[in-house]
């Protein structure tokens, strides 16, 4: 008898997200198939052409229906989805709308057409000697490639010396992602303002301050829906995330303004049949809102948070849109009133020891209700060798907690950190010797 379940191919399907995908409404009627591995998609030199060819071979060899092709990672997954969708007749937003989000310079050009919630910005001439900030962009500022993974090669700088040092590092590493991104740009009819810009370009923009928040939403049949606002809290005196917390504690009028800006920007971008996540800063002193960046996918990092609070993970929106179904999420139907994703970090290099195995992690999760723990490094791995770290810290573990108060979220996190009992050898040579918190 023919299997009537919908076949959903997931680019970069990983063990951490599979249980969450299986928790979406109607999952008993779905079959989730892995399409390329996370390692193939994100490690080393990325060749979009090679990845496309490998994905097509896998899809062509599949004997059943191909009902949906989805993903929740950044480039190249975000750009592979619309290309594959066009070739296999599945639902997706356009490739151009994805690139308008992911190319930080092009995205800024589109954003400033519909909102003033944009910092001063400009392109950096990486070939100049000495390199200089763009005209009109003042310190402190951030330098970042047009495209990067997890804040890789993103640097906050306060003066000319730090600017030159950051440019030197970006020059050295920008091609790893920038070169394949240029191939994607070559598939599009670019507007005059993007002529000759390419994928290996560096952006400078004035630093933003205030409370950092993330807005999650989707576009369905041309209508933009915001389904959640989350607070992003950093480590003290650091640009590195400590936790994402849902729901946001910002006042309702501020959250409504975030909704309004998000709707205008996503209409301008031209996205449809897709999820998105937008990061903002809100300054309580000035009441200003500033847009940091747009991600053309929902955040898989937040899936457990929505499940804890609303009763359904946000993966539901991605899957439902790809299948042509109603992507709406329930509201506050979960077990807890609040939830957080914590980033347990280390701010110095070293070799990690005593990494708990899955059985030990399961024991921690069973002992502390409403938690889930994923350890990032492997036993005896040097932290500076772990992929996709930001420029200032190393992620040791992701800890998800659900609770009825912020104090309960903190208490569960502290218990998890203590239970992990990670140890470090900081005397081994190599790697970055010290991180500045």
């Amino acid at each position: 008898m023919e299997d009537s379940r919908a076949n959903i191919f997931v680019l970069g399907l990983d063990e951490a997200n599979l249980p969450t995908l299986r928790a979406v409404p109607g999952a008993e009627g779905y079959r989730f198939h892995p399409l390329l591995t996370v390692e193939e998609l994100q490690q080393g030199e990325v060749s979009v052409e090679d990845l496309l060819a490998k994905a097509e071979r896998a899809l062509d060899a599949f004997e059943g229906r191909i009902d949906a092709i989805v993903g929740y990672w950044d480039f190249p997954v975000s750009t592979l989805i619309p290309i594959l969708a066009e070739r296999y007749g599945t639902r997706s937003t356009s490739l151009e709308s994805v690139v308008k989000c992911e190319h930080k310079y092009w995205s800024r050009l589109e954003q400033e057409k519909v909102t003033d919630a944009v910092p001063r910005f400009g392109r950096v001439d990486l070939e100049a000697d000495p390199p200089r900030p763009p005209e009109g962009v003042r310190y402190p500022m951030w330098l970042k490639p047009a495209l990067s993974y997890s804040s890789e090669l993103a640097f906050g700088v306060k003066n000319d010396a730090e600017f030159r040092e950051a440019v030197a590092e970006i020059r050295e590493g920008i091609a790893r992602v920038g070169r394949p991104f240029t191939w994607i740009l070559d598939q599009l009819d670019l507007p005059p303002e993007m002529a000759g810009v390419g994928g290996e370009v560096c952006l400078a923009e004035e630093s933003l301050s205030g409370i950092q928040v993330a807005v999650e939403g989707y576009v369905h049949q041309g209508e933009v829906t915001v389904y959640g606002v989350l607070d992003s809290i950093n480590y003290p005196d650091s640009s590195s995330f400590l936790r994402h917390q849902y729901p946001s504690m910002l006042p309702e009028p501020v959250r409504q303004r975030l909704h309004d800006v998000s709707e205008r920007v996503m209409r301008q971008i031209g996205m449809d049949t897709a999820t998105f996540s937008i990061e903002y800063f809100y300054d309580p002193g000035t009441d200003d809102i500033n847009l940091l960046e747009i991600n053309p996918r929902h955040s898989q990092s937040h899936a457990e948070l929505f499940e804890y609070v609303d009763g359904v993970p946000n993966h539901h929106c991605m899957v439902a849109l790809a299948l042509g179904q109603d992507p709406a999420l329930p509201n506050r139907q979960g077990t807890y009133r609040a939830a957080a994703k914590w980033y347990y970090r280390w701010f110095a290099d070293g070799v990690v020891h005593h990494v708990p195995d899955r059985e030990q992690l399961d024991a921690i999760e069973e002992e502390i209700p409403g938690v889930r723990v994923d350890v990032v490094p492997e036993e005896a791995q040097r932290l500076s060798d772990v992929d996709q770290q930001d420029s200032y810290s190393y992620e040791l573990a992701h800890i998800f907690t659900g609770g009825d108060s912020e104090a309960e979220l903190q208490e569960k996190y502290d218990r998890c950190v203590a239970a992990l009992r990670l140890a470090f050898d900081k005397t081994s040579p190599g790697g970055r010797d010290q991180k500045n918190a």
Side-chain angles (χ1 to χ4, degrees), residues 345-422:
R345 298 180 186 270
W346 198 250
F347 288 85
D349 198 5
V351 176
V352 64
H353 298 292
H354 309 306
V355 174
D357 58 24
R358 188 65 252 176
E359 184 177 347
Q360 292 168 309
L361 294 178
D362 289 343
I364 294 173
E365 294 174 0
E366 185 175 349
E367 180 184 346
I368 310 172
V371 304
R372 206 195 91 189
V373 185
D374 294 322
V375 176
V376 177
E378 298 175 356
E379 177 71 30
Q381 186 175 20
R382 173 168 291 282
L383 294 176
S384 55
D385 292 336
V386 178
D387 289 327
Q388 297 183 46
Q389 301 288 346
D390 71 20
S391 300
Y392 298 100
S393 69
Y394 303 105
E395 294 179 8
L396 304 180
H398 302 152
I399 300 174
F400 302 86
T401 63
D404 290 331
S405 68
E406 189 169 313
E408 185 178 349
L409 299 178
Q410 178 77 58
E411 185 263 343
K412 289 182 177 180
Y413 169 72
D414 292 340
R415 288 176 63 188
C416 286
V417 168
L420 287 173
R421 302 177 66 184
L422 296 175

Side-chain angles (χ1 to χ4, degrees), residues 233-407:
I233 296 128
N234 290 346
Y235 279 81
D237 302 316
S238 169
S239 61
S240 298
F241 287 133
L242 170 61
R243 72 181 184 272
H244 301 299
Q245 186 167 313
Y246 177 66
S248 171
M249 299 180 70
L250 288 176
E252 172 57 29
V254 177
R255 296 200 303 271
Q256 187 56 54
R257 288 168 59 200
L258 291 168
H259 285 215
D260 294 343
V261 173
S262 301
E263 289 177 22
R264 291 203 304 273
V265 168
M266 296 317 295
R267 287 197 186 98
Q268 175 64 31
I269 293 290
M271 179 172 279
D272 200 3
T273 317
T275 56
F276 63 84
S277 177
I278 309 179
E279 297 179 38
Y280 290 91
F281 277 94
Y282 169 67
D283 189 331
T286 62
D287 200 37
D288 287 340
I289 286 173
N290 278 290
L291 195 158
L292 178 60
E293 66 179 22
I294 305 172
N295 299 301
R297 43 98 186 132
H298 72 290
S299 176
Q300 53 91 13
S301 293
H302 301 158
E304 286 84 0
L305 310 190
F306 285 96
E307 185 173 13
Y308 279 150
V309 176
D310 292 328
V312 172
N314 60 356
H315 286 332
H316 164 67
C317 304
M318 172 190 73
V319 172
L321 287 165
L323 293 173
Q325 299 172 357
D326 182 2
L329 284 173
N331 185 54
R332 309 299 187 263
Q333 300 298 308
T335 305
Y336 300 101
R337 295 175 60 189
K341 177 185 180 180
W342 301 79
Y343 296 82
Y344 177 25
R345 298 180 186 270
W346 198 250
F347 288 85
D349 198 5
V351 176
V352 64
H353 298 292
H354 309 306
V355 174
D357 58 24
R358 188 65 252 176
E359 184 177 347
Q360 292 168 309
L361 294 178
D362 289 343
I364 294 173
E365 294 174 0
E366 185 175 349
E367 180 184 346
I368 310 172
V371 304
R372 206 195 91 189
V373 185
D374 294 322
V375 176
V376 177
E378 298 175 356
E379 177 71 30
Q381 186 175 20
R382 173 168 291 282
L383 294 176
S384 55
D385 292 336
V386 178
D387 289 327
Q388 297 183 46
Q389 301 288 346
D390 71 20
S391 300
Y392 298 100
S393 69
Y394 303 105
E395 294 179 8
L396 304 180
H398 302 152
I399 300 174
F400 302 86
T401 63
D404 290 331
S405 68
E406 189 169 313

Side-chain angles (χ1 to χ4, degrees), residues 9 20 27 38 47 126 130 150 157 168 287 301 420:
F9 287 82
T20 316
V38 176
S47 170
L126 294 177
S150 303
V157 299
D287 200 37
S301 293
L420 287 173

Side-chain angles (χ1 to χ4, degrees), residues 80 137 179 205 313:
L80 290 172
V137 181
R179 189 179 296 121
E205 52 190 38

Side-chain angles (χ1 to χ4, degrees), residues 186-236:
D186 290 342
Q187 313 308 304
L188 301 173
D189 293 325
L190 298 173
E193 62 264 33
M194 284 296 293
V197 174
E200 296 183 54
V201 61
C202 177
L203 181 71
E205 52 190 38
E206 291 186 5
S207 296
L208 302 173
S209 61
I211 300 168
Q212 192 166 350
V213 295
V215 170
E216 292 256 339
Y218 57 80
V219 191
H220 178 48
Q221 298 177 349
E223 292 296 319
V224 180
T225 296
V226 169
Y227 58 76
V229 180
L230 305 90
D231 294 329
S232 300
I233 296 128
N234 290 346
Y235 279 81

